[in-house]
């Protein structure tokens, strides 16, 4: 049975990584959600993800934390697809999921929009593979 847990070791932690993804990463947007990523060819495949809910849009920390928890849960469910892709292509993939809405999203909205973003990411990475 696959492991669907989301460990701390698979999360983005370094400020430099967040800055690099914001600065040079490619982006997809679907509703209030943004997915930014950087994919590098490496000898060892890895998948790291970070979550952002800025204070500019959600003023209360409780709302920001709730939104990030929802994003983490949806990502956790879809992580296996991305991990198999990174292993298959030997990619170092760093993902940043962000929220730019003014209201806390429902779980179904998160699931729908973020899974759409992951599908787009999957097709973009496959396009990269076909170019090489």
């Amino acid at each position: 049975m696959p492991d669907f847990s989301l460990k701390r070791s698979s999360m983005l932690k370094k400020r430099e990584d967040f800055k690099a993804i914001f600065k040079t990463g490619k982006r997809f947007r679907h509703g209030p959600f943004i997915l930014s990523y950087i994919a590098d060819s490496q000898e060892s495949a890895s998948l790291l993800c970070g979550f952002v809910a800025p204070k500019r849009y959600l003023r209360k920390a409780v709302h920001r934390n709730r939104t990030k928890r929802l994003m983490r849960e949806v990502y956790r469910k879809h992580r296996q697809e991305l991990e198999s892709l990174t292993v298959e292509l030997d990619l170092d993939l760093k993902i940043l999921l962000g929220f730019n809405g003014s209201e806390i999203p429902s779980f179904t909205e998160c699931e729908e929009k973020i899974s759409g973003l992951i599908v787009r990411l999957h097709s973009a990475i496959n396009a990269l593979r076909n170019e090489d």
Side-chain angles (χ1 to χ4, degrees), residues 38-102:
I38 294 177
D40 296 322
S41 296
Q42 297 290 326
E43 289 189 19
S44 63
S46 69
L47 175 63
L48 298 174
C49 189
F51 304 91
V52 180
K55 196 174 190 178
R56 179 189 327 169
Y57 299 109
L58 296 170
R59 298 299 295 169
K60 296 188 177 196
V62 172
H63 297 162
R64 291 192 302 274
N65 292 337
R66 167 82 176 149
T67 303
K68 288 187 278 188
R69 268 196 312 273
L70 290 171
M71 290 191 295
R72 274 194 303 269
E73 178 63 19
V74 173
Y75 171 75
R76 184 186 67 81
K77 287 183 171 183
H78 295 280
R79 182 175 57 94
Q80 292 294 335
E81 304 165 22
L82 294 172
E83 276 188 348
S84 63
L85 185 66
T86 57
V87 168
E88 180 184 325
L89 301 175
D90 285 332
L91 283 177
D92 178 27
L93 184 63
K94 295 178 183 174
I95 300 171
L96 188 62
L97 275 169
F99 179 77
N100 285 345
S102 57

Side-chain angles (χ1 to χ4, degrees), residues 21 62 80 98 100 107 115 117 122 128-129 132:
I21 294 172
V62 172
Q80 292 294 335
N100 285 345
F107 181 75
S115 61
L117 286 171
H122 205 290
L128 280 175
R129 176 176 64 175
D132 292 339

Side-chain angles (χ1 to χ4, degrees), residues 12-24 38 94 96:
L12 279 176
K13 295 182 203 93
K14 295 181 183 175
R15 184 178 180 96
E16 296 83 33
D17 290 338
F18 280 91
K19 282 185 176 182
I21 294 172
F22 274 123
K23 191 172 186 176
T24 62
I38 294 177
K94 295 178 183 174
L96 188 62

Side-chain angles (χ1 to χ4, degrees), residues 98-130:
F99 179 77
N100 285 345
S102 57
E103 294 181 13
I104 302 173
S106 66
F107 181 75
T108 54
E109 180 185 8
C110 278
E111 178 99 56
E112 175 187 314
K113 309 261 181 186
I114 292 175
S115 61
L117 286 171
I118 290 174
V119 167
R120 287 176 63 186
L121 173 64
H122 205 290
S123 62
I125 290 175
N126 280 329
L128 280 175
R129 176 176 64 175
N130 294 337

